[in-house]
Amino acid sequence: MNADNPVVLEMRGIIKRFPGVVALDNVGFDVRRGEVHALLGENGAGKSTLMKILAGVYEADAGEIIFKGRRVSYHTPKQAQVAGITTIHQELNQIPLLTVTENIYLGSEIMRGPLVHWREMHKGARALLERLHLDIDPRVLVGSLGVGQQQMVEVAKALHHRSDIIIMDEPTAALSLREIDDLFTIIRDLRAAGVAIIYISHHLNEAFEIADRLTILRDGRHIATRAAADLTMDELIRLMVGRRLDEQFPKETAPRGKELLRVEGLTQGDRLRNISFSVHAGEVLGIAGLVGAGRTELLRAIFGADPIDAGAVYVDGGRVPIRSPRDAIRHGIVLLPEDRKQQGLVMGMAVRENVTLAVLRALTRGPLIDRRRERALVGQYIQRIQIKVADPENLVSSLSGGNQQKIVLSKWMATEPRVLLFDEPTRGIDVGAKVEIYRLINQFVAGGGAVIMVSSELPEVIGMSDRIMVIHEGTVTGFVGRAEATQETLLEYATGHRRDEGHP
Amino acid sequence: MERTAVTSPSTGARSMRSIGRFLSNTGPLLVLLFMLAVLWTLSEAFRSPTSLMLLGLEAAAIGIVAAGQTYVILTGGIDLSVEAMVSFAGVIAAILIAGTNVAGGQIANGIPSYLAILIALSAGALIGAFQGVLITGLNMNPLIVTLGMRSILLGVSLVITNGAGINIQKDEFLSFMTQVIRIGEDGAIRVPMVLIIAVIIYFISWVVLRHTRFGRYTYAIGGNETSARLSGISVNLVKIRIYAISGLLAAVGGVLVMARLVSGAYQNGTNMTLMSVAAVVIGGTALTGGKGGIWGTLVGVFIIRVVEQGMVYLSVPSNAKEIVLGVIIVLAVALDVLRRGDIPWLRMRRRAV
């Protein structure tokens, strides 16, 4: 890229607050034509929020966006797209039961009178795909394509809209190595054609490989913008994290007790194949793997949320049948889901009602709920888990992500569980609250419990686990001890390039 | 590490919110009082004890049906079968009491009315539970299941009565149920027994919904079914019981209508589905479930009744009744959407300003 390329986009002084959190605090950066600009930072650093403001999903509380020399503000993603800013999401948002052509032209169909001009559209779609060197028939259903190809179709759609800026949010998360290579070729072509690309990724190596400049955010603040050539990996990590690893993950090792939970031969269609492991009292077992490897599915299967085809679960050495979440809870196994709002909480209910939802049986006297005991219990957990809430009668929807997570945790702690299945414990939580969640995990295992933790953040898995199980396409590829765990080793197992004996 | 802001809204914001909550809780009640005041001033006939008694009498049966509907809508479902259940339960009870079918053809000796009513109510609860099983066990859409059941129940009522009402004789029990209690000197205040029954049902429903585990689960399921299931709640069992309650209360309403008309006929429940849903929504319960309450529904029922009766007293032609009712229902749903603030183009316009 030529450093003299004109600036196509500038964001200045962006401030965005959510209830209880300042997500972006006076953030600004600029993007030039024909540039690949990586946006880096930990979870909760504010990358996605910043991009959602740019793309018209959120409205900033303050600040301005200057795009192609004009001050703009978009209220819907559609407006932003028409203006030339397209987002390619982590979760693809295409309609699987429509064809490639229909998806590309969705909302901008070529018409001949009142009818859709199919011939013209197929021709256009084919031309776009050819520009991307893709051998895809525009008439096939998008659902029949692989994830990588679906992503390319999104790129084609962005080209169709003559986008000046394409935002790619974790584009490689679900791609194979070959597909990543293809994607990078296309990104380089786009760059040569003058398109600016904002590239969000957790994989720092990728960012170094593809980006011209990097902007680092931390805790909702702009930390630095540098040319990739002027930055080393060490420096980058220091900028992103801003503190030492042991401050970030206050891991305390608890004495390892007897086996609490054992899973044998767990199988669920193609998603989970013959998975066996055990976890002991006082232990945090981390589960690492790529998106789609079956991490969440594994936790849900153990919890009885989804049916399994084969396998057995043993608690305290005895086999227990788990056919529903209720069975699991009865045996002291609870799940903290990755999507708290959709699966962990009832947002329209008060803090009190959410905390006691799983233990009402114990709070019922005769036919009625004992309100006094209920309030006492809630007060106790607000203290113990340190939930910051002015009044337990407030709706949980008014709390920050960290406090919401603590409410889910309180709900389960009240059932006195022995094994926590913890899916993405700190997703969408700001840094201060993250450390509090980690301390609660420490406390729990110190008290003789066990935690099985799934996380997309390798540093988190490495920082908080005693032992790490890596899965790849639904099978276990290996176990790594805390001492030997590095991001590189875990990735080798996670991509299936390395497999331990006994884990075919 | 104290960066997490404590979520204590400013006093201004909080008082705004509590005013909002106050309005959404008491708004329907204020509307009802306003309407009563207007009618009281404008119509002399309305001021008579008889017309007030009639208001309570008319509100009772539909009120009980709407109470059942409230449970269902709180879980995010809907029961379109209630009007058919009202007719069906009335017809079943009438046949058993009179021992006749098809407009007078004697088939057996009648049985005591309390026994007949017990059978009709059990049938209502069982049919309701069966709908619940279809909705949860087979994952069928409640709209379709209850719409289908509505047709079936109306059809059965029509077939076994051959379209005519089945007339009964009141026995002691039925007379007791349908009496009007006179209170005060010279019995100036008259309270129909059915209204007392309705109020008792509302009170029990309030206790069930607000103070029992089952009630809490009902709100949780309406608020977020996935979270409820993952919290260990047997969602299907709760929902089956919910539809059973709706079936049961619709049958109670049906028996009371039948007793008052001393006749079980397939038209007894006409319009009651629409009115019950409207009463629930007017009363502030969200159609999406999880929010609202039973007392709001009672207010909603009275609002509908006052409008209907008001039109009579203000000499609005009775043929126009349907139009006004329709408008009220659409307005109530519009209110429900507004309360949630869920109108995209309005929101966008506000942001664009």
Side-chain angles (χ1 to χ4, degrees):
Chain A
M1 181 208 68
N2 189 335
D4 300 332
N5 278 6
V7 169
V8 63
L9 168 83
E10 188 177 358
M11 296 180 85
R12 283 187 205 144
I14 304 286
I15 295 175
K16 177 71 187 174
R17 297 181 195 91
F18 290 116
V21 202
V22 180
L24 291 173
D25 188 1
N26 197 19
V27 172
F29 82 120
D30 65 87
V31 180
R32 301 201 182 107
R33 278 199 186 282
E35 174 185 41
V36 178
H37 196 127
L39 198 54
L40 304 172
E42 294 182 284
N43 262 353
K47 299 164 297 192
S48 295
T49 310
L50 188 65
M51 288 305 102
K52 281 180 178 162
I53 287 170
L54 179 58
V57 179
Y58 294 152
E59 190 117 346
D61 296 326
E64 51 184 13
I65 302 171
I66 291 137
F67 179 49
K68 294 196 274 189
R70 281 182 42 226
R71 204 182 148 180
V72 297
S73 134
Y74 303 116
H75 306 297
T76 64
K78 173 98 187 157
Q79 286 176 2
Q81 187 168 60
V82 169
I85 299 173
T86 299
T87 307
I88 295 174
H89 290 279
Q90 203 168 346
E91 311 87 21
L92 302 170
N93 44 6
Q94 295 180 78
I95 302 169
L97 288 177
L98 292 185
T99 63
V100 170
T101 302
E102 284 168 306
N103 268 288
I104 290 176
Y105 282 91
L106 199 64
S108 60
E109 289 80 2
I110 302 175
M111 306 299 282
R112 189 165 50 180
L115 302 177
V116 172
H117 198 337
W118 284 111
R119 198 152 32 95
E120 200 59 32
M121 274 167 48
H122 283 312
K123 216 173 91 190
R126 193 166 293 123
L128 289 170
L129 294 169
E130 270 166 21
R131 243 181 97 187
L132 297 173
H133 312 290
L134 293 174
D135 184 23
I136 299 174
D137 180 356
R139 278 167 232 252
V140 303
L141 298 184
V142 159
S144 69
L145 301 175
V147 185
Q149 289 190 314
Q150 290 191 25
Q151 207 153 34
M152 302 304 175
V153 172
E154 288 222 27
V155 176
K157 189 172 175 180
L159 285 182
H160 161 62
H161 286 284
R162 300 205 166 70
S163 302
D164 299 281
I165 296 181
I166 300 178
I167 303 166
M168 296 189 175
D169 191 353
E170 295 284 353
T172 58
L175 299 190
S176 70
L177 290 174
R178 243 213 73 203
E179 287 172 323
I180 293 176
D181 276 348
D182 292 347
L183 177 72
F184 280 9
T185 310
I186 287 169
I187 289 178
R188 292 195 180 99
D189 285 355
L190 291 171
R191 172 168 64 185
V195 177
I197 305 219
I198 301 177
Y199 190 92
I200 301 179
S201 178
H202 278 112
H203 301 292
L204 304 183
N205 295 327
E206 281 177 13
F208 264 115
E209 184 182 341
I210 194 74
D212 301 301
R213 285 195 297 162
L214 308 111
T215 287
I216 296 120
L217 302 185
R218 190 206 309 150
D219 305 348
R221 275 181 294 246
H222 176 261
I223 300 299
T225 297
R226 302 272 180 83
D230 301 342
L231 205 58
T232 65
M233 182 67 93
D234 286 348
E235 209 176 343
L236 174 62
I237 290 174
R238 192 181 52 73
L239 289 171
M240 276 176 61
V241 177
R243 63 187 101 51
R244 299 205 323 274
L245 204 64
D246 52 350
E247 287 171 34
Q248 196 186 0
F249 302 108
K251 168 73 179 165
E252 290 162 19
T253 307
R256 185 177 156 106
K258 64 183 179 59
E259 175 190 286
L260 281 188
L261 176 78
R262 187 165 86 245
V263 171
E264 275 182 13
L266 193 80
T267 300
Q268 181 192 75
D270 287 341
R271 291 177 293 278
L272 300 172
R273 291 180 231 165
N274 196 21
I275 291 187
S276 302
F277 67 92
S278 68
V279 59
H280 289 245
E283 185 179 37
V284 177
L285 175 71
I287 297 180
L290 303 179
V291 171
R295 301 168 307 181
T296 297
E297 289 77 2
L298 176 59
L299 294 193
R300 284 179 60 91
I302 297 171
F303 187 57
D306 297 322
I308 57 172
D309 300 322
V313 173
Y314 298 80
V315 174
D316 286 332
R319 183 171 175 166
V320 294
I322 292 179
R323 287 188 209 89
S324 69
R326 225 174 128 182
D327 291 340
I329 295 164
R330 202 167 24 228
H331 290 106
I333 304 168
V334 300
L335 171 71
L336 290 97
E338 66 181 320
D339 187 346
R340 294 183 283 283
K341 294 180 183 177
Q342 297 300 321
Q343 305 185 345
L345 296 165
V346 184
M347 298 300 275
M349 278 184 143
V351 168
R352 168 178 56 82
E353 293 165 312
N354 272 284
V355 169
T356 58
L357 197 54
V359 288
L360 282 180
R361 201 168 292 273
L363 295 173
T364 313
R365 208 169 42 184
L368 303 182
I369 296 169
D370 186 339
R371 279 289 169 95
R372 245 197 18 236
R373 272 173 58 204
E374 186 184 16
R375 280 202 205 95
L377 183 88
V378 172
Q380 187 191 326
Y381 278 97
I382 287 178
Q383 283 267 310
R384 215 173 105 190
I385 313 284
Q386 290 178 16
I387 303 168
K388 287 162 195 134
V389 56
D391 180 349
E393 298 307 313
N394 285 356
L395 298 184
V396 287
S397 53
S398 69
L399 302 184
S400 67
N403 279 306
Q404 288 180 356
Q405 183 69 297
K406 287 182 188 172
I407 293 193
V408 183
L409 199 56
S410 303
K411 174 177 81 177
W412 290 132
M413 286 305 174
T415 68
E416 296 173 359
R418 314 201 35 218
V419 181
L420 297 189
L421 309 174
F422 216 147
D423 200 353
E424 303 288 358
T426 61
R427 175 169 288 178
I429 291 177
D430 72 49
V431 184
K434 271 187 187 179
V435 174
E436 291 179 50
I437 299 283
Y438 296 143
R439 291 194 198 286
L440 290 166
I441 290 178
N442 282 342
Q443 262 176 40
F444 181 72
V445 293
V451 173
I452 301 176
M453 179 181 87
V454 162
S455 174
S456 307
E457 301 290 298
L458 287 180
E460 179 171 274
V461 177
I462 295 168
M464 286 306 295
S465 308
D466 295 294
R467 208 156 50 101
I468 298 162
M469 175 170 91
V470 191
I471 56 179
H472 167 69
E473 292 180 352
T475 58
V476 176
T477 46
F479 287 87
V480 184
R482 178 175 175 75
E484 301 90 62
T486 63
Q487 299 212 23
E488 288 69 31
T489 345
L490 294 184
L491 274 175
E492 278 175 34
Y493 282 110
T495 49
H497 287 102
R498 188 162 153 189
R499 254 169 227 272
D500 284 352
E501 290 297 307
H503 300 292
Chain B
M1 288 280 111
E2 278 301 329
R3 263 179 30 83
T4 329
V6 175
T7 316
S8 62
S10 64
T11 36
R14 194 186 298 176
S15 64
M16 273 293 286
R17 201 182 315 147
S18 62
I19 288 172
R21 200 178 299 160
F22 177 78
L23 276 183
S24 72
N25 284 344
T26 56
L29 188 59
L30 294 178
V31 170
L32 176 62
L33 294 176
F34 174 74
M35 284 168 38
L36 283 172
V38 169
L39 212 52
W40 189 270
T41 338
L42 292 185
S43 163
E44 202 192 318
F46 183 72
R47 276 169 252 162
S48 77
T50 310
S51 82
L52 286 178
M53 192 273 289
L54 273 177
L55 187 65
L57 192 63
E58 297 272 359
I62 177 66
I64 292 167
V65 176
Q69 190 73 264
T70 309
Y71 285 86
V72 178
I73 291 182
L74 276 176
T75 63
I78 196 158
D79 188 349
L80 300 180
S81 72
V82 290
E83 64 182 42
M85 182 63 78
V86 167
S87 303
F88 176 78
V91 164
I92 292 293
I95 286 174
L96 291 172
I97 293 168
T100 62
N101 76 344
V102 192
Q106 190 78 24
I107 52 167
N109 292 318
I111 61 171
S113 67
Y114 69 88
L115 207 59
I117 287 173
L118 205 67
I119 292 169
L121 299 190
S122 312
L126 278 177
I127 291 168
F130 176 64
Q131 297 195 91
V133 169
L134 293 181
I135 289 162
T136 57
L138 300 180
N139 199 17
M140 290 168 76
N141 186 324
L143 214 68
I144 305 302
V145 170
T146 59
L147 197 61
M149 188 57 80
R150 173 184 176 277
S151 250
I152 294 170
L153 293 177
L154 278 183
V156 171
S157 308
L158 198 55
V159 167
I160 59 182
T161 60
N162 217 6
I166 293 177
N167 299 325
I168 55 158
Q169 299 283 321
K170 274 191 194 177
D171 61 6
E172 253 175 58
F173 182 69
L174 282 181
S175 303
F176 174 77
M177 300 280 284
T178 51
Q179 70 181 306
V180 174
I181 299 167
R182 289 163 182 272
I183 309 175
E185 336 162 19
D186 66 8
I189 303 168
R190 288 185 284 166
V191 184
M193 189 67 186
V194 285
L195 184 62
I196 295 174
I197 295 172
V199 170
I200 291 172
I201 286 175
Y202 269 80
F203 181 76
I204 294 172
S205 292
W206 172 72
V207 172
V208 167
L209 285 172
R210 284 298 179 190
H211 290 280
T212 68
R213 204 163 61 215
F214 175 75
R216 188 72 62 80
Y217 291 171
T218 303
Y219 279 91
I221 290 169
N224 185 340
E225 195 171 323
T226 309
S227 289
R229 183 171 281 122
L230 292 180
S231 296
I233 297 172
S234 304
V235 171
N236 289 358
L237 230 71
V238 173
K239 278 187 160 178
I240 290 169
R241 281 195 263 168
I242 290 281
Y243 282 95
I245 289 174
S246 178
L248 172 67
L249 292 183
V252 172
V255 167
L256 293 179
V257 171
M258 185 277 292
R260 210 182 120 212
L261 302 176
V262 280
S263 170
Y266 81 95
Q267 313 95 318
N268 277 8
T270 306
N271 256 344
M272 280 195 168
T273 298
L274 201 56
M275 291 216 287
S276 66
V277 173
V280 172
V281 176
I282 292 171
T285 296
L287 273 174
T288 44
K291 281 202 174 89
I294 193 78
W295 295 119
T297 302
L298 189 60
V299 172
V301 167
F302 273 99
I303 288 180
I304 292 175
R305 274 303 166 204
V306 169
V307 169
E308 283 206 320
Q309 229 167 312
M311 284 190 286
V312 175
Y313 288 116
L314 301 177
S315 315
V316 177
S318 66
N319 291 341
K321 199 179 83 174
E322 294 271 332
I323 302 173
V324 177
L325 265 185
V327 170
I328 291 183
I329 289 162
V330 173
L331 277 181
V333 176
L335 211 86
D336 177 46
V337 178
L338 270 176
R339 261 195 305 257
R340 277 181 281 133
D342 205 10
I343 306 175
W345 62 267
L346 249 182
R347 223 173 32 214
M348 247 157 64
R349 171 128 10 129
R350 223 175 293 142
R351 292 204 311 184
V353 168

